[in-house]
Amino acid sequence: MSSLVFIIVTLFFLVSIYWTLYLKWPQITKIKTLKNIKKDDLHTFFLTLATNLGVGNIIGVSAAIIIGGPGVIFWMFLFSFFVSALSYVETFYAVKSQTMIGNEIVGGTCYTIDKFVKSKYKVVLGIAFSFFLVLTNSIFFTPVQLNCIFNIFEGNYRIVYILISVFVILFIVFKGVKSIIQLTDKIVPIMTIVFLFVIIYGIIKKIDEVPMLIKLIITDAFNLKSCIAGSFVTLINTAITKSLFSNEAGLGTMPSLTGVSNQSDIEKTSYLQLASIIVDTCILCTLTGIFILLYYGNDMTLTTLTFVDCISNALGKIGLVIGKILVYIFGFSSAIGLYYLGESNILYFSYKIKLNYKVCKFIFQILYIIGMFIALFGDFQNLILLVDIGLVILGTINIFVLFIIEKRYKFLKNNNIKILEEKE
């Protein structure tokens, strides 16, 4: 399984570089689309950030460093910069292919497949992707997020706190999409500011050690001995999988959120998604990695509380409290965001297999609850393996879809989005 994961993630790296060059460095050239940005444009941006700003940043980075060493931070930064181009492409197609089912506007990779893939197998491909996306957002990705929440509780009342958390999460996600959007719009900016303050304060506190640390990161990233020993494979594999875990760019998951955006300015929506990857992984994950390396103790092991221990080392007893609150909020917002991603694809799944929507939604809710039980009783390191399975399956289908669509339409070849309308 590990060999297959390495092959897929290496392919992801190469594909990301290809799309960056193909789109003529959209990370830089497309920034002009953010002129006259409105408040409404930021709703999806914050919801995406809420889903991404979770375990991938605080626990995923810790895991990456422990498994891959300091050099993993450099490769996470580099890969995330390139893979953000994939998020631009998949978002553009998702918005362009949004569909009205009943009275609801829906979008995502499944609908992109349905509209733009010209093959007799497109229905099977769409259903397969929808099915695995539902599994990913219930029993593959969600348990890791929730495991972090559950593990911060200690003492005699641990089970009580866990049950309260489960009840609150289920109440919010089962109440509906509007409650999720309203919650994330309020909570994401606040938790991001607190997170940045803690990280930057801790880095400034040891600013004299930062230059040597950056040198260590770069040196370790290109360590000749590790290349010869074969550990370089582990380094790259860890960097890419943890980056994908953090930002989910190119997996076809985020288009379920961005695909319902207003079609009036698709380029702006697509770039906002690209920007969320840059903010989430290139900036926040890099700062988090530097912070962890500054305060990481030699006796630490990979647990959900590694990041909390680092904050505690930086800020003392108050750091322990702040760290646990951050883990709870990040994990909480990610968990409800993942539920929305899954539910948004249930409508497509039920529509295509001609099964009652309420029945399909009920089955998904059962799977989501099963994911909660997995989170409660599962080991964190084994849960990370479930994430890798989800990455491989979704990533393989999505990059294949993007290539075959572009091969047919070539709407981005000359950076002219009108080509797509002409060929429809």
Side-chain angles (χ1 to χ4, degrees), residues 2-62:
S2 59
S3 299
L4 177 60
V5 171
F6 176 71
I7 293 172
I8 297 298
V9 298
T10 302
L11 178 63
F12 247 97
F13 207 160
L14 296 176
V15 168
S16 301
I17 294 173
Y18 168 82
W19 278 106
T20 296
L21 298 176
Y22 191 82
L23 297 176
K24 301 177 182 178
W25 300 90
Q27 299 90 338
I28 301 170
T29 59
K30 297 291 185 180
I31 195 171
K32 60 185 179 182
T33 62
L34 296 185
K35 291 180 180 179
N36 303 318
I37 192 170
K38 300 177 182 178
K39 184 179 179 180
D40 291 342
D41 297 325
L42 298 177
H43 283 309
T44 304
F45 175 82
F46 282 131
L47 184 55
T48 301
L49 209 55
T51 304
N52 290 337
L53 280 175
V55 175
N57 292 73
I58 54 181
I59 306 301
V61 175
S62 304

Side-chain angles (χ1 to χ4, degrees), residues 127-229:
I127 292 175
F129 187 88
S130 177
F131 174 76
F132 285 116
L133 186 57
V134 168
L135 290 182
T136 296
N137 290 291
S138 56
I139 61 175
F140 286 163
F141 281 11
T142 305
V144 181
Q145 312 285 349
L146 295 177
N147 184 262
C148 291
I149 295 177
F150 298 158
N151 284 345
I152 67 173
F153 298 121
E154 299 174 319
N156 297 329
Y157 296 99
R158 178 175 183 266
I159 188 64
V160 176
Y161 297 139
I162 289 175
L163 290 176
I164 292 174
S165 298
V166 168
F167 175 79
V168 172
I169 292 172
L170 292 178
F171 175 78
I172 292 174
V173 298
F174 290 176
K175 189 177 179 181
V177 174
K178 288 185 177 180
S179 64
I180 295 175
I181 293 176
Q182 291 171 355
L183 179 67
T184 52
D185 276 350
K186 294 176 182 178
I187 202 172
V188 172
I190 297 174
M191 72 179 186
T192 303
I193 291 171
V194 174
F195 176 79
L196 278 173
F197 176 80
V198 170
I199 296 299
I200 293 174
Y201 173 79
I203 292 174
I204 293 175
K205 192 176 178 181
K206 289 190 175 185
I207 194 66
D208 56 319
E209 298 179 26
V210 172
M212 288 298 295
L213 184 58
I214 293 176
K215 182 180 178 181
L216 172 64
I217 290 172
I218 296 174
T219 302
D220 190 67
F222 297 95
N223 191 321
L224 181 61
K225 290 183 179 180
S226 68
C227 293
I228 297 174

Side-chain angles (χ1 to χ4, degrees), residues 306-370:
T306 300
F307 178 75
V308 176
D309 292 335
C310 288
I311 294 183
S312 180
N313 290 340
L315 304 180
K317 291 183 178 180
I318 188 66
L320 183 64
V321 177
I322 293 174
K324 287 189 175 183
I325 291 175
L326 282 173
V327 169
Y328 190 91
I329 293 176
F330 276 112
F332 188 92
S333 61
S334 295
I336 61 177
L338 286 169
Y339 176 86
Y340 171 65
L341 286 174
E343 187 183 279
S344 65
N345 281 274
I346 285 294
L347 190 60
Y348 175 90
F349 188 77
S350 63
Y351 178 73
K352 287 298 179 181
I353 65 174
K354 302 185 185 306
L355 186 63
N356 185 275
Y357 170 70
K358 291 184 178 180
V359 173
C360 291
K361 182 179 178 180
F362 177 74
I363 294 173
F364 171 65
Q365 290 174 340
I366 294 298
L367 289 173
Y368 193 82
I369 294 173
I370 291 174

